[in-house]
Amino acid sequence: MPAGSVGRVCELTGDESFCQRVREMGFGEAALVTKISGTTTSLCLVNGTRIALNHPAAMSILVEQIPALGRVDGPASAR
Amino acid sequence: MVGNPNCGKTTLFNALTGLRQKVGNYPGVTVEKKIGITYSQHGRPIQVIDLPGAYSLAARSPDEAVLRDVLLGRREDTPQPDRIICVVDAANLERNLYLVHQILDLGRPVIVALNMMDMAADAGVKVDAAELENELGVPVIACEAVNGRGLVELRLALSRLELPLARHRWDVPGPIAPAVAELQASLRDHDGRPPLIARAEALLLLTDFDTVRVGGSRPLSARTHEILQQWRQRWAGEGTDWSAALIRSRYDAIDRLCRNVIRRTRDTGPSRSDRIDAVLVHSVWGWLVFGAIMAVLFFSIFTLAEHPMNWIDGHVAGFGAWVKQSLPSGDLRDLVTDGIIAGVGGIVIFLPQILILFFFVGLLESTGYMARAAFLMDRPMSKVGLNGRSFIPLLGSYACAIPGIMATRTIENAKDRLITILVAPLMSCSARLPVYLLMIATLLPSDAVPAGTKAGIMLLMYALGTLGAFGFAWLFKRTLFKGGVPHMIMELPPYQPPRFKEILRHMFERGWLFLKNAGTIILAISIVLWCLTTYPKHPNPEATATEQIAQSFAGHAGHALEPVIKPLGFDWRIGIGLITSFAAREVFVSSMGVIFGVEAEDDDTQPLRDALRSAHWPGGAPLFTPLVCLTLMVFYVFAMQCMSTVAVVKRETNSWRWPLFQIAYMTGTAWLVCLILYQTGRALGY
């Protein structure tokens, strides 16, 4: 996801414990996420909270970009 | 008192109890429960327990487990609380209510403290506290802990003899309900859990299948385990992730509740924190600012502290001279002047620099920059197999390794936590500061040497320790604790203006601790060391001070050590300093003061530095050459010399294995690196 774009979480993959923690933080499936900045380590906005994700974590969160709000079409990871 | 990380629990706790627990603007400041007393409106004492922050009762790190175990009544040292204050961040209500929702399931009396109302208003969020109270059925108190608003109302709520129990507005999703009921019954009948605790634990087990993590130290009964496995297999066969559905179901309920409670008054656009973050976590600007902050820190340590240090030095010298004139000559006078004043006074002089270090650390913690530093450092940390979360304990270890090691409790992965514990003491702590400063002053005696050069050498020592920590983390990750880079998800708190009152209070507390150490441990060691260097007396009363120390008890111990440290350029006198440093590293300075017989009557403000510069080997060669000073600093960078840290590592790892390993690998590395450095330097003619 490029910086400034908005997406919706489609799927969480990978480590089960991590997925549950992400969901408990309100970052689960269907949550809206705004990418603020970052390449290797990403900074996102979820429910008004700034969340930092490292590369493996970001690659585990699959996001569908929202054309009406975002800038680019097509699926992507939170990275 | 419970809540998400960084929602203001400790600030509220301090305001209620009048205590001064450490507060910081980053997640994970509180890692162990803290207890204080507040009073009801009728003067009845109420014990308040501040628990570490957590996003959920499904604990995944040791600090979160403290919260879960206290609430579920599993801690033998803490009875189950009579009532629970849930502190929630009004600006992030939905996420904060997830934990509240789980806690309401416990069926205990709950008070919700709706904190940070001012920040919510700034973010364009209006929270209707009365409507939230109506929805939940428990008292909801709007408050701003920082400004003391809402404290009276909170005390009144705590004073109520009876609190209403929450109206249950959440039903377990239909397909999961039989599993919850069956597990609840088994936990109640076979594991002896009270009914509501059994229900909460059943829900946790269905959200997190790790029974050891959820069940704690008491293993689940075979029957409960069997039921859990059956449900897990059944759900796996159906291909439905019911554990995710449970969390989603709670969030759906919270979402419905918030529709009546939250009103967004305006779209505020990018916040102040967003605009600051655009620079501070930028891939180029962020690193430049980080480097500038570190440079200013070390430069300030040298420049700002100069005048107060001279002032202290002058007064210590004056006091020593007065004592020397007032007491008759003899062993008692020598003990007071050469033992106590030289030892303790030599340490107290470094107080201004310690205060400056803690002021800067406090500033970084208070503003919210610590979490940004962890964000920036995530990339380099990933190169050694860790993530940015490990950097906060490491950064904290610059001040002192003990709170740094305790801060590792926020790390979820056990292997990564252990690696962070093992490398944290390599970060140069404030106790090393006096040693570095003394060696730099001996290395570069001229006042004409710019402060920038001295700060540069200091920065080099800090960089060496940091690189050492990274190098060993990389090595351990590839040998002892193999595994990939762990996932990191971390909340970055909004920036806040520095709370100077808190920073100064913490700074003076640390300064007082430093002085207390000087007045207890260092005083005791100075007296013992003076005795060990004074007795037995040399048969010749005209013997020089060096001859006296050489044949004393300490001299014998130092000589026994000398063969091991001589290849590093250190003699037996430095050896005594290295041994005494195991009590606390800064003791090295006072030990040198006692060993080199620095008398406080000297008018020179740098008597110890002069004494070191004039020290010689028996053959006449100078002892503290620039190369030896540098080697000694490097030894202090790597060696494990702090008994308190050893004790904390033992407690945190619950074994002697890791602290002993830590002593062996760090001190072994120190010896080897110093050997290479000194012998190479000698070969090159230094």
Side-chain angles (χ1 to χ4, degrees), chain A residues 16-18 20-27 29 36-37 40-43 47-54 56-57 60, chain B residues 56 58 60 64 92 95 207 213 232 243-244 251 273-274 277 372 375 378-379 387 412 486-492 494:
Chain A
E16 186 183 40
S17 175
F18 169 75
Q20 295 298 74
R21 173 44 47 99
V22 169
R23 290 186 186 107
E24 285 166 349
M25 290 178 76
F27 205 157
E29 291 86 347
I36 298 175
S37 65
T40 309
T41 310
S42 305
L43 186 57
N47 286 334
T49 308
R50 268 176 298 277
I51 305 265
L53 297 161
N54 70 353
S60 302
Chain B
S56 157
R60 290 186 173 81
E64 292 182 341
N92 278 304
R95 199 201 59 212
T207 334
R213 194 160 54 203
R232 188 167 199 186
S243 54
Y251 265 109
S273 292
D274 291 336
D277 271 339
R372 272 71 186 185
F375 178 90
D378 179 69
R379 193 171 180 183
N387 65 37
E412 294 167 10
H487 289 37
M488 178 191 79
I489 180 163
M490 188 174 68
E491 187 182 340
L492 299 190

Side-chain angles (χ1 to χ4, degrees), chain B residues 347-348 350-351 354 434 510-518 586:
Chain B
I347 278 294
V348 170
F350 295 103
L351 180 66
I354 300 284
R510 295 300 308 200
W512 173 241
L513 195 66
F514 178 77
L515 287 178
K516 216 166 94 177
N517 266 345
E586 66 267 38

Side-chain angles (χ1 to χ4, degrees), chain B residues 323-334:
Chain B
V323 170
K324 195 139 196 166
Q325 281 172 357
S326 308
L327 289 177
S329 64
D331 278 0
L332 178 64
R333 189 180 78 172
D334 291 346

Side-chain angles (χ1 to χ4, degrees), chain B residues 132-144:
Chain B
L132 184 61
E133 181 167 315
N134 182 45
E135 290 279 346
L136 295 175
V138 298
V140 174
I141 315 293
C143 53
E144 292 167 24

Side-chain angles (χ1 to χ4, degrees), chain B residues 259-398:
Chain B
R259 278 181 211 155
N260 302 326
V261 172
I262 298 177
R263 194 157 52 84
R264 302 203 182 271
T265 51
R266 63 184 190 281
D267 183 8
T268 52
S271 66
R272 184 184 56 183
S273 292
D274 291 336
R275 288 194 295 275
I276 299 172
D277 271 339
V279 177
L280 295 193
V281 299
H282 188 270
S283 54
V284 177
W285 294 115
W287 281 105
L288 288 176
V289 172
F290 183 71
I293 289 172
M294 291 295 139
V296 168
L297 164 64
F298 291 113
F299 191 73
S300 305
I301 284 174
F302 277 95
T303 52
L304 299 181
E306 194 181 343
H307 291 296
M309 282 180 79
N310 286 340
W311 184 84
I312 295 173
D313 204 2
H315 279 77
V316 168
F319 179 63
W322 177 77
V323 170
K324 195 139 196 166
Q325 281 172 357
S326 308
L327 289 177
S329 64
D331 278 0
L332 178 64
R333 189 180 78 172
D334 291 346
L335 168 66
V336 175
T337 54
D338 301 344
I340 296 172
I341 297 177
V344 177
I347 278 294
V348 170
I349 191 175
F350 295 103
L351 180 66
Q353 286 165 321
I354 300 284
L355 292 178
I356 290 172
L357 177 70
F358 279 103
F359 176 78
F360 271 90
V361 171
L363 208 59
L364 300 183
E365 289 178 343
S366 172
T367 52
Y369 186 75
M370 282 290 255
R372 272 71 186 185
F375 178 90
L376 281 174
M377 290 302 292
D378 179 69
R379 193 171 180 183
M381 295 294 283
S382 70
K383 303 286 182 204
V384 301
L386 298 176
N387 65 37
R389 196 174 271 279
S390 287
F391 190 66
I392 289 182
L394 295 184
L395 200 61
S397 297
Y398 279 136

Side-chain angles (χ1 to χ4, degrees), chain B residues 68-117:
Chain B
R68 178 202 62 198
D69 291 345
V70 169
L71 291 186
L72 297 186
R74 289 181 187 168
R75 295 266 297 216
E76 285 180 8
D77 60 349
T78 315
Q80 203 176 7
D82 297 319
R83 37 191 71 179
I84 302 165
I85 303 174
C86 289
V87 185
V88 298
D89 174 1
N92 278 304
L93 192 61
E94 292 100 327
R95 199 201 59 212
N96 279 249
L97 282 179
Y98 182 83
L99 179 66
V100 176
H101 214 260
Q102 286 183 313
I103 288 170
L104 292 178
D105 283 345
L106 298 175
R108 314 286 297 177
V110 168
I111 300 167
V112 174
L114 196 55
N115 196 24
M116 301 186 177
M117 290 293 276

